[in-house]
Amino acid sequence: MANQAKLNAAGKDFDFPVLQGSVGPEVIDIRKLYAQTGKFTFDPGFTSTASCESALTYIDGDEGVLLHRGYPIGQLAEHSSFMEVSYLLLNGELPSKDELDTFSYTISRHTMLHEQLATFYRGFRRDAHPMAIMCGVVGALSAFYHDSTDIADPEHRKISSHRLIAKMPTIAAMAYKYAVGQPFLYPDNNLSYTGNFLRMTFGVPAEEYEVIPAVEKAMDRIFILHADHEQNASTSTVRLAGSSGANPFACIAAGIACLWGPAHGGANEAALNMLKEIGTPDRIPHYIERAKDKNDPFRLMGFGHRVYKNYDPRATVMQSTVREVFEALKVTDPLFETALRLEEIALNDPYFVEKKLFPNVDFYSGIILSAIGFPTTMFTVLFALARTVGWVAQWNEMISDPGQKIGRPRQLYTGPTQRDYVPLDKR
Ligand code: ACO
């Protein structure tokens, strides 16, 4: 029968509906599998599982395609702004000029933090990793906004989303300022979302801070490139946390915790550290051999992706942005030459070719961020800042779905079967 998948289990046939999205592979709807067959599916790492229905972002990993609400990432990176992409992700359509102005104004009205939040920072050691601070401070926002905690109310969800998008740059900049021992700067809402973030990060009260337009543009583009990426680990974490009806700020803190890992958002920090360790192009072959050695845990950071089995389209934009930033700041970085050479050598090596390992978004981003002046520990913070819009858009989409259920996977149990307790003196 069309649009049905047949499963033969224990000699019996079962039919399951096959669902078709607007584009992309069909999915077999196995929601009734356990009820009908008494069996679960086994898919650790979710390599073959669509965990939800979503209309936000589409990725074709084989072709290297990434679309937000249908718009290719390359076009958005070239022509759009982070505020516009945020509006698009949240609302489904590109805004008119008036809609964009109103949205940007609304976000700018939420950029300040409650004064008491500043005291949270002082509880952290000065050498705390800024991602640790981000987890703590964003989670702590749950204790501040009691006027919008009804997640069933779309208006409350909207206010929480706006607050999160608006406050992340302030929180991130303060994490940086705390580490370097400089005073926190209040937002300046005359500046753009990104310009304001750069000023809060690199400005000091004693001097006028001048936003360099090319750097502002590059940073804004980096935010666009990180805005959303369908059901990646941190987004799935936000959805899972949110599925229980948890406070949105706490859900985003959970996403930040997941993003921190070196296999996910932490890879940009790890990639630059790796390039520094490699140093000069003549040392690349040694590291390529290490990456291929099964007994060596070393991997080429910024290489490979669960979904992309082709060039990550975000990496293409990143690579050209490196050149723009170097030109604007009149700097170069020998690590860029090392990165280009490493990419060339890896892409011609049968190991990487056969496993379809290509540079991902994190491979070049560290070089740009470093040129702008960010320490490596801030890289994942910037990722979290930008991804917040994706997280809140996905969270909103999930909560608005009337069929939404708490996320509760099952398992293949391999522990001991039932046995009787043995008293301590008999063990
Ligand atoms: N260097 C060397 N070998 C690699 C790399 C790498 N960067 N990535 C994958 N491989 C190899 C694995 O050893 C494995 O080989 P095998 O089949 O012989 O066992 C094979 O390629 C498949 O790799 P998996 O880890 O099974 O693939 P998975 O989809 O689970 O992992 C991941 C994807 C985590 C991104 C992986 O490629 C990786 O660790 N990359 C480095 C970290 C990184 O750059 N992460 C950022 C991802 S993008 C993002 O989160 C924004």
Side-chain angles (χ1 to χ4, degrees):
M1 201 198 294
N3 297 326
Q4 294 280 327
K6 211 172 258 319
L7 173 78
N8 184 283
K12 260 182 93 179
D13 280 342
F14 299 92
D15 287 322
F16 295 98
V18 174
L19 309 179
Q20 176 69 66
S22 44
V23 58
E26 295 177 330
V27 304
I28 303 171
D29 179 353
I30 52 146
R31 278 174 288 186
K32 297 213 166 81
L33 180 79
Y34 180 62
Q36 291 184 3
T37 69
K39 296 182 196 317
F40 297 133
T41 54
F42 183 59
D43 186 19
F46 309 124
T47 51
S48 298
T49 295
S51 63
C52 62
E53 190 179 320
S54 179
L56 277 151
T57 293
Y58 172 72
I59 302 174
D60 182 335
D62 294 325
E63 296 298 323
V65 170
L66 167 60
L67 311 175
H68 291 319
R69 301 284 194 184
Y71 296 102
I73 190 66
Q75 290 182 21
L76 294 173
E78 195 181 340
H79 304 296
S80 188
S81 67
F82 182 65
M83 274 299 93
E84 190 176 56
V85 171
S86 299
Y87 183 97
L88 173 69
L89 284 167
L90 290 171
N91 299 290
E93 296 297 334
L94 286 169
S96 65
K97 166 102 181 54
D98 280 356
E99 285 166 336
L100 181 59
D101 288 347
T102 307
F103 178 71
S104 304
Y105 176 75
T106 307
I107 295 295
S108 75
R109 300 292 296 180
H110 285 292
T111 49
M112 293 219 296
L113 293 187
H114 192 292
E115 275 300 300
Q116 216 170 330
L117 258 179
T119 61
F120 277 70
Y121 285 80
R122 307 201 197 287
F124 286 98
R125 285 170 56 127
R126 290 275 172 187
D127 62 356
H129 195 289
M131 282 299 275
I133 298 181
M134 296 298 285
C135 285
V137 173
V138 174
L141 290 177
S142 335
F144 283 78
Y145 300 106
H146 303 306
D147 61 345
S148 53
T149 51
D150 180 6
I151 61 159
D153 182 336
E155 216 28 57
H156 282 208
R157 292 204 300 275
K158 194 158 132 187
I159 294 169
S160 299
S161 304
H162 290 166
R163 281 186 173 136
L164 274 156
I165 295 166
K167 292 181 197 309
M168 283 302 262
T170 317
I171 294 171
M174 284 168 71
Y176 172 75
K177 286 298 192 200
Y178 187 69
V180 293
Q182 291 179 359
F184 298 146
L185 253 57
Y186 287 114
D188 177 349
N189 291 341
N190 294 313
L191 298 173
S192 71
Y193 181 88
T194 302
N196 179 36
F197 169 64
L198 288 169
R199 182 191 152 273
M200 284 190 292
T201 306
F202 297 119
V204 285
E207 287 169 20
E208 192 75 23
Y209 179 78
E210 210 180 305
V211 178
I212 302 170
V215 172
E216 183 183 16
K217 192 169 158 225
M219 195 72 239
D220 201 72
R221 189 182 293 156
I222 291 172
F223 289 160
I224 293 174
L225 295 180
H226 288 93
D228 190 48
H229 212 227
E230 55 113 303
Q231 307 312 318
N232 57 85
S234 56
T235 301
S236 298
T237 301
V238 171
R239 278 190 179 253
L240 197 55
S243 76
S244 71
N247 178 290
F249 299 101
C251 295
I252 301 305
I256 293 172
C258 177
L259 186 76
W260 192 0
H264 191 9
N268 53 14
E269 185 177 342
L272 193 72
N273 289 339
M274 176 194 75
L275 289 172
K276 282 182 187 157
E277 189 186 322
I278 296 175
T280 45
D282 57 301
R283 286 161 53 83
I284 292 172
H286 168 66
Y287 286 90
I288 291 275
E289 286 317 306
R290 283 191 61 192
K292 287 159 42 175
D293 182 354
K294 280 259 155 282
N295 300 314
D296 188 331
F298 177 80
R299 281 186 168 198
L300 281 194
M301 299 314 285
F303 250 79
H305 197 275
R306 168 60 64 77
V307 181
Y308 291 118
K309 303 301 167 200
N310 200 327
Y311 214 96
D312 179 340
R314 301 167 302 171
T316 319
V317 183
M318 278 294 180
Q319 203 202 74
S320 59
T321 308
V322 176
R323 293 197 169 88
E324 280 173 35
V325 168
F326 281 1
E327 213 164 281
L329 295 176
K330 300 189 178 40
V331 296
T332 57
D333 183 345
L335 289 185
F336 185 44
E337 292 314 314
T338 307
L340 288 171
R341 187 79 189 110
L342 178 59
E343 177 188 326
E344 192 188 325
I345 293 176
L347 295 186
N348 284 300
D349 187 300
Y351 173 94
F352 292 90
V353 173
E354 277 156 27
K355 293 188 191 303
K356 298 187 177 169
L357 298 169
F358 291 85
N360 61 48
V361 67
D362 291 322
F363 191 62
Y364 288 106
S365 64
I367 295 173
I368 307 175
L369 297 175
S370 183
I372 295 176
F374 291 101
T376 45
T377 51
M378 279 296 285
F379 293 178
T380 317
V381 170
L382 304 173
F383 194 155
L385 186 168
R387 183 56 57 85
T388 294
V389 64
W391 290 331
V392 294
Q394 300 262 357
W395 170 79
N396 255 302
E397 184 181 62
M398 177 186 69
I399 304 286
S400 338
D401 178 353
Q404 187 256 322
K405 279 177 185 283
I406 186 169
R408 190 6 178 136
R410 299 304 299 266
Q411 62 175 9
L412 172 67
Y413 178 69
T414 54
T417 52
Q418 184 169 331
R419 48 186 171 164
D420 288 327
Y421 177 78
V422 181
L424 195 55
D425 59 346
K426 300 257 163 38
R427 278 178 240 157

